[in-house]
Amino acid sequence: MRNNRGLLGRRSFLIGLGAGVTGLAVAVGAHQLQARQKKATSKPEPTDTPVQVRDNFQVTGDAPLKERAAAKGLFFGAASGFGQLSKDEAFATEFARESAVLVAESDMKWKNLRPDPETFNFKRLDWLYDFTQRQKMLFRGHPLIWHKSMPEWFEETVTEKNAEAVLTEHIQRVAGYYAGKVHSWDVVNEAIMPSQGRQDGLRKTPWLKFLGADYIDLAFRVAAETDPKALLVYNENRLDYDTPEMEQRRTGLLKLLERLKSKGTPVQVLGVQGHLFPGELPFKPEVLRKFLAEVAAMGLKIMITEMDATDRNLPGDVVQRDNMVATAYEDYLSAALDEPAVMGVMTWGLSDRYTWIAGFRPRDDGEPVRPLPLDKDLNRKRAWQAIARAFDSAPSRIPPS
Ligand code: 9MR
């Protein structure tokens, strides 16, 4: 543990329920927290790991996240979309101030891009791409092949007979349209689901049904031929915590990556989504470190692609909640950025003003969710400070000159 990141120099405390003040030490396991809050709708796995929640996330200076990351040879970026950036100038300004990379959160999904089998509607994406050029940012494509956000016509028209042609055409049209202009593509997204019981751990999707396990190889090969300049990413979720389910997912994913590498499939990067669940799931830095090291040992680079922190099981008190969210960000990134193969970090949204969590994982008490680095008024939160501190104390990737 590096000294400047150790617990000694900070005030730290265990989760203090009902305490609006800092510095109060009350040991509460995450499961007790859940029990007290009686979350009937969500069923988090219980954990006895006490969480060391910190209340001091002091940072030096006010440089934006992208500069702090760049100072270490890393990058910081975030996901957003046409609807947000084109209509909300204040948000767009903050977005460009903090982020060096823009990921299309939804506009590149089949459902939004392809209203019918013949039409590719690049208008919104073109706007986003132009935004990145005006703001001197990088543009990142997400996702080429996924089982979700598919248009209705897909089910009606795609069959075993034409699936290969449809997959190939999609990648050629989309990656071809932006070839040479994109930092990286999420070529295949969320293709594993070992709990479904297949030997190879793959998720049962139409692509798998029609094309077999090799649909993943095919997608990467077509992407590599179509846009040889971009980094090709396999992006996956639920890899982060010390639970049996996630251990099974990490094992399944390593198996898949080994298979892809052994066949010469041109996958270059693993995207670890990093959706965090403070107060719900047990985080063990050594588990994440070991997993990332195993991925790196295969010769793959790593990006943290979709960070945010679900706060549905955290106290209503905003200071306590923000401390817990910030602690989760810093604990996670401190471990992840120690792995030299990690190239950069992206959050899934930048401000609590726009976050999928508000719709998908709302709080039972109806309070607005606070999962991201900026609050809904675009002010920097403790989560922002946590990310800033993680970059500031990350080992540099810049070779000494
Ligand atoms: O944040 C995205 C939300 O706006 C979309 O409606 C949803 C369905 O397409 O997808 C969300 O983003 C997901 C991402 O594409 C893949 N990993 C999980 C993300 C959160 O669900």
Side-chain angles (χ1 to χ4, degrees), residues 4-5 57-77 96-100 330 333 337 343-345 373-374 380-398:
N4 60 351
R5 211 195 274 147
F57 296 88
Q58 207 179 335
V59 286
T60 314
D62 64 356
L65 296 177
K66 67 177 180 190
E67 281 175 24
R68 293 171 193 269
K72 298 296 173 72
L74 289 156
F75 62 80
F76 175 77
R97 194 196 317 276
E98 298 288 353
S99 320
E330 192 175 27
L333 286 178
L337 294 178
M343 308 166 64
V345 177
L374 306 185
R380 291 169 170 177
K381 292 160 52 191
R382 286 161 193 233
W384 181 95
Q385 295 177 293
I387 301 171
R389 281 157 60 99
F391 283 133
D392 290 351
S393 42
S396 178
R397 274 70 173 156
I398 301 169

Side-chain angles (χ1 to χ4, degrees), residues 105-106 109 142 146 149 189-190 273 275 306 348 356 360:
E105 179 172 356
S106 297
K109 291 171 181 168
H142 164 92
W146 193 27
S149 267
N189 193 38
E190 299 171 10
Q273 293 185 8
H275 293 289
E306 302 188 12
W348 205 240
W356 70 288
F360 286 72

